[in-house]
Amino acid sequence: MSQGNTGVTPQVVHAQACPVREVLDRVAGKWSVQIIVAAAHGPIRFTELERSIDGISRRMLTLTLRNLERDGLLTRTVHPMVPPKVEYELTPVAAELHTTLLSLTDWAERHRVTIAESRAAYDAQHSPELLDA
């Protein structure tokens, strides 16, 4: 059946997919996933996050934390002390996301060997000239 006969236009697909894609892009981002995993065990301070996430710059950490807070995935609590103590904690929505991420990680661990074998078989069949190099 052609796309014209389904009643589904590119505009409809775009309108429905974009909000979902936007959310997935945010929560599946390299730094977002690592922050969510790091904050999964309770409140965590900025410096603890910075130390626990290898390769993240202070600026990227700050931007990602702001975006996660804006999206309702983190709460930011400032404790009035000198110097101020700021903690980040997962919201219930992010805790649910963390559970989903653990399921995805478990799946990846269970199937990593199969995927590696499939890649090797595919490469051997489709790129024999690469094996000779």
Side-chain angles (χ1 to χ4, degrees), residues 38 44-53 61 65 88:
I44 189 166
R45 296 181 69 176
F46 183 93
T47 53
E48 293 172 314
L49 283 166
E50 189 176 30
R51 275 186 251 123
S52 69
I53 301 172
L61 179 56
L65 288 169
Y88 296 89

Side-chain angles (χ1 to χ4, degrees), residues 30-85:
K30 173 182 178 180
W31 304 121
S32 296
V33 168
Q34 291 184 55
I35 290 168
I36 290 166
V37 169
H41 303 291
I44 189 166
R45 296 181 69 176
F46 183 93
T47 53
E48 293 172 314
L49 283 166
E50 189 176 30
R51 275 186 251 123
S52 69
I53 301 172
D54 194 35
I56 193 167
S57 68
R58 290 188 129 224
R59 174 153 171 70
M60 187 53 63
L61 179 56
T62 299
L63 290 173
T64 307
L65 288 169
R66 282 185 191 152
N67 285 329
L68 291 171
E69 183 181 7
R70 180 175 179 243
D71 291 344
L73 299 173
L74 286 180
T75 57
R76 179 179 184 266
T77 304
V78 180
H79 300 279
M81 351 172 50
V82 178
K85 179 180 174 185

